[in-house]
Amino acid sequence: MLKSLVLALAFSLTLPALASAAADDDDDDPQFGLAGLLSASNKEDLPPVILSAGVPLSDKPWVLKSGTYYEFEIQGDGSQELALVGPEFFRAIWIDEIVVEGLEIRPLGLDSIEFDEAGEMEIGFIALKPGSYYMKVPGSTGETQRLEITIQ
């Protein structure tokens, strides 16, 4: 009986050390805070998308990582009524919020946006579905009016 008690005590003293060692083996896993995927440590800012007559939407394509939270601004200068479409891209992400002039919108989905006059909006989202996508000015054929997006 005493032997069983001593073995149980020895086992219970080594259990926390084993659990700690197991937790330390996952150094490659991202460490999220209490907010999970929405944690600040999982957030990246993307360059703004520019909606302006004759100006490229972006300097370079976006390469995103699935599971990462991103924010970007869309800036319209009012030089022309311009829209931005990307239904496949918008279905490959989860949109947390769209902020327009301090108003927060939490949509279930998005197909396109349009600027009738100058303004800014910010979109926060989590990239979900790996693949190749785009956002573009509808009806345009030029490469500068299209933003290529890859989710890895």
Side-chain angles (χ1 to χ4, degrees):
M1 171 96 165
L2 183 61
K3 191 176 190 179
S4 302
L5 183 61
V6 170
L7 285 174
L9 181 61
F11 180 72
S12 67
L13 291 174
T14 59
L15 195 56
L18 292 173
S20 175
D24 290 342
D25 289 344
D26 297 331
D27 289 339
D28 295 337
D29 293 341
Q31 300 299 313
F32 301 123
L34 294 175
L37 290 177
L38 300 177
S39 296
S41 63
N42 191 44
K43 180 181 163 283
E44 289 187 31
D45 290 324
L46 295 168
V49 172
I50 308 298
L51 282 179
S52 180
V55 175
L57 291 177
S58 185
D59 293 338
K60 60 183 180 177
W62 290 352
V63 178
L64 311 177
K65 183 179 174 188
S66 182
T68 300
Y69 186 93
Y70 294 95
E71 285 184 351
F72 73 99
E73 288 183 354
I74 301 173
Q75 302 168 348
D77 68 358
S79 60
Q80 187 175 342
E81 228 178 87
L82 290 170
L84 191 62
V85 297
E88 293 86 6
F89 170 66
F90 290 127
R91 284 165 184 71
I93 64 175
W94 173 75
I95 299 174
D96 176 38
E97 68 180 3
I98 299 172
V99 180
V100 179
E101 294 184 20
L103 302 172
E104 296 178 4
I105 304 159
R106 302 194 191 283
L108 291 175
L110 188 62
D111 185 76
S112 65
I113 56 103
E114 184 172 334
F115 281 69
D116 293 339
E117 54 188 53
E120 257 182 40
M121 75 171 50
E122 181 177 88
I123 299 178
F125 69 93
I126 294 176
L128 295 176
K129 186 177 174 187
S132 296
Y133 306 98
Y134 66 86
M135 286 189 293
K136 71 174 194 163
V137 174
S140 65
T141 56
E143 288 182 25
T144 62
Q145 299 301 295
R146 182 179 172 108
L147 172 58
E148 297 295 330
I149 304 165
T150 302
I151 298 177
Q152 300 176 333

